[in-house]
Amino acid sequence: MVNAQMVSGYLDNSFNALMVSGGGESGQTQNGGTDTTLSGWKDLPMELLLRIISVAGDDRMAIVASGVCTGWRDALGWGATSLSFSWCQDHMNELVISLAHKFTKLQVLSLRQIKPQLEDSAVEAVANSCHDLRELDLSRSFRLSDRSLYALAHGCPHLTRLNISGCSNFSDAALIYLTSQCKNLKCLNLCGCVRAASDRALQAIARNCSQLQSLNLGWCDTVTDGGVTSLASGCPELRAVDLCGCVLITVASASFTLVHCSLRCNLHTYPRSSQVCSSKFVSVVDDVHHVRHCYLSSASFTVL
């Protein structure tokens, strides 16, 4: 964990460099004829502080700086719109809970984990404080339950991108409720969400999220043709869908989706999903002019 002493040293160096580049040994600057004395980095204008933090290249710097003083906390809370905790290998849950209320203007937040740490309490803290959130990555959050999705539905209705891949504990009921409140979703990653990604959930997505452009259903092996065709009918903006491992999907529903949406489709088929002759799919592809490349084999076919 980066400590306050390291931040102070970094800012001292930045301040000294600023004084050298400004050509002032005494740290005095001219501003409309009025001398302003900068005796150290604590006197830096908040706009400059935000700039220094933004080019530090590590979100840990912003997190530590927010604890230096009230002024810095307020400045970062209002100025920081993007934050990632993916570097945190331990105690991520406690860290998010302690910081969520400080960064209320976040629009992009990554909580992707190397090992499972995040719990519902942290997601609820984010939902209670970060109401402007647009993009959220919760991938590999194996400990999360439906509580998290309900909290996001209430607290973050402006979400446009949501990655919950690998969150295998979510139910389709919670996902349905989320989509009823977060109707601006454009990118949704449900890879491995075998309980959440049911045909019933896909039908709800088709009803509620007409702006959806990208959907990952990889390894959601309970999805059938009914769910996929409902997406094609209800989401005219859909451009990319991943159905890898969806063993119940047939070539017929993939063809229907291609006809209704100008999308790039990656579909790996298995014996159970070869109920329709592949030649039918090829004939459909020939009629869809936006498809640039089609690869067809006995095991899989991919349209790019």
Side-chain angles (χ1 to χ4, degrees):
M1 180 63 121
V2 178
N3 57 42
Q5 185 177 3
M6 292 175 63
V7 175
S8 177
Y10 173 81
L11 291 174
D12 281 334
N13 293 335
S14 299
F15 177 78
N16 292 332
L18 178 68
M19 293 299 98
V20 170
S21 64
E25 295 181 358
S26 63
Q28 293 183 338
T29 61
Q30 296 292 330
N31 184 11
T34 302
D35 290 342
T36 301
T37 301
L38 299 179
S39 59
W41 47 259
K42 290 184 178 179
D43 296 324
L44 290 176
M46 289 305 168
E47 294 80 3
L48 186 54
L49 169 64
L50 290 171
R51 178 60 179 163
I52 292 173
I53 295 297
S54 69
V55 299
D58 194 329
D59 286 343
R60 284 175 283 191
M61 192 70 70
I63 291 171
V64 175
S66 69
V68 171
C69 64
T70 302
W72 283 29
R73 182 198 65 195
D74 293 343
L76 290 167
W78 281 94
T81 59
S82 178
L83 204 59
S84 173
F85 288 82
S86 299
W87 49 267
C88 184
Q89 299 186 24
D90 295 291
H91 308 296
M92 180 189 288
N93 199 71
E94 294 79 3
L95 186 61
V96 172
I97 292 174
S98 66
L99 292 173
H101 69 282
K102 296 182 180 181
F103 295 90
T104 59
K105 298 301 179 181
L106 284 181
Q107 295 185 15
V108 180
L109 177 61
S110 176
L111 298 175
R112 183 178 178 85
Q113 300 154 85
I114 297 175
K115 61 181 181 181
Q117 303 177 62
L118 211 61
E119 299 177 2
D120 292 320
S121 54
V123 178
E124 289 171 336
V126 170
N128 289 335
S129 299
C130 307
H131 302 304
D132 291 332
L133 205 59
R134 300 297 196 272
E135 302 180 16
L136 178 62
D137 187 343
L138 294 174
S139 53
R140 299 177 60 83
S141 298
F142 305 121
R143 296 182 179 180
L144 297 185
S145 72
D146 286 350
R147 282 174 49 193
S148 291
L149 291 189
Y150 286 119
L152 291 173
H154 287 291
C156 305
H158 304 299
L159 282 174
T160 60
R161 301 175 67 92
L162 178 63
N163 185 347
I164 54 174
S165 60
C167 299
S168 54
N169 290 328
F170 292 152
S171 71
D172 60 350
L175 181 59
I176 290 170
Y177 185 77
L178 175 79
T179 62
S180 72
Q181 304 300 310
C182 302
K183 296 186 177 182
N184 297 322
L185 282 172
K186 294 183 178 180
C187 297
L188 182 59
N189 191 334
L190 302 176
C191 182
C193 298
V194 291
R195 294 182 58 231
S198 65
D199 283 347
R200 195 165 69 105
L202 297 188
Q203 291 163 3
I205 292 172
R207 288 194 307 270
N208 298 322
C209 305
S210 60
Q211 301 179 54
L212 194 68
Q213 298 176 1
S214 174
L215 178 64
N216 190 332
L217 294 171
W219 308 105
C220 297
D221 55 10
T222 62
V223 172
T224 70
D225 288 350
V228 173
T229 54
S230 65
L231 282 172
S233 301
C235 301
E237 301 299 318
L238 199 59
R239 294 293 179 269
V241 61
D242 192 332
L243 301 173
C244 178
C246 297
V247 296
L248 301 181
I249 301 298
T250 68
V251 175
S253 64
S255 302
F256 180 83
T257 305
L258 275 174
V259 169
H260 283 74
C261 303
S262 301
L263 55 80
R264 296 174 290 114
C265 179
N266 175 17
L267 173 58
H268 292 256
T269 62
Y270 293 84
R272 292 181 61 188
S273 58
S274 59
Q275 302 166 17
V276 179
C277 179
S278 297
S279 62
K280 290 187 177 181
F281 179 77
V282 175
S283 66
V284 172
V285 170
D286 289 339
D287 293 333
V288 182
H289 300 296
H290 61 268
V291 175
R292 296 179 305 205
H293 173 69
C294 177
Y295 171 72
L296 183 64
S297 72
S298 59
S300 66
F301 61 83
T302 304
V303 180
L304 303 174

